[in-house]
Amino acid sequence: MSETMEPTVLGPDEDPAGTLAASGARIMVREHQTDGGFALVEHRIPPRALTSPVHRHAREDEYTVVQSGRVAALLGDRVVYAEAGAMIFKPRGQWHAVWNPDDREARILEIITPGGLEGLFEHVPKLPADGSLPDTTALTERFGVEFDLVATAELAHTHGVGFGPHSG
């Protein structure tokens, strides 16, 4: 029986990829477990924190389901808000970012189709405290993702958010 056929239960605090402590993302299902069909990533977003820089990808669509709290999302030039139970669709090619605009933790599930992009969450660049912009060329080449770090800095300033547990 292949790994894609094995029944499994992943407990609420199990993190098989070990990414939750480092990035706030828990990779729950990887592409190889679904024959490339999709990946599933959970984000536990601290208050006033971004999940990633503003970015777009050419190959994958993302469906974000809000499990708890409230999140905001930049979709192109539009900002939307979603409460627990809502879903945000981010089609391939769309500039986007997701963040927690509130003072309590939020949780989201991201369904990424096709799979493969989930590995990005192990390598997402953080904006340095000195305001310089990190080189994202290797990530663009590896994952087919473009980052707009200038737009990220503007979004962070406008909405009072940042990266990590003490953002904003």
Side-chain angles (χ1 to χ4, degrees), residues 7-92:
T8 187
V9 173
L10 183 65
D13 293 315
E14 290 181 64
D15 184 19
T19 56
L20 184 58
S23 69
R26 179 170 72 134
I27 301 172
M28 298 174 75
V29 178
R30 290 189 176 268
E31 70 168 326
H32 71 271
Q33 296 171 285
T34 64
D35 292 329
F38 74 95
L40 181 64
V41 178
E42 178 192 51
H43 293 273
R44 298 176 188 183
I45 315 169
R48 308 245 173 242
L50 283 155
T51 61
S52 69
V54 175
H55 66 284
R56 67 179 172 185
H57 24 89
R59 301 183 291 243
E60 299 87 6
D61 296 320
E62 289 180 311
Y63 300 84
T64 300
V65 179
V66 182
Q67 292 183 294
S68 66
R70 183 173 78 119
V71 299
L74 175 70
L75 303 173
D77 60 359
R78 188 169 59 120
V79 173
V80 299
Y81 293 86
E83 305 282 336
M87 191 270 300
I88 301 167
F89 173 57
K90 300 171 297 203
R92 60 192 78 196

Side-chain angles (χ1 to χ4, degrees), residues 120-139:
L120 174 68
F121 295 109
E122 297 168 306
H123 304 283
V124 150
K126 304 297 185 217
L127 292 180
D130 66 6
S132 63
L133 300 178
D135 182 6
T136 59
T137 305
L139 292 175

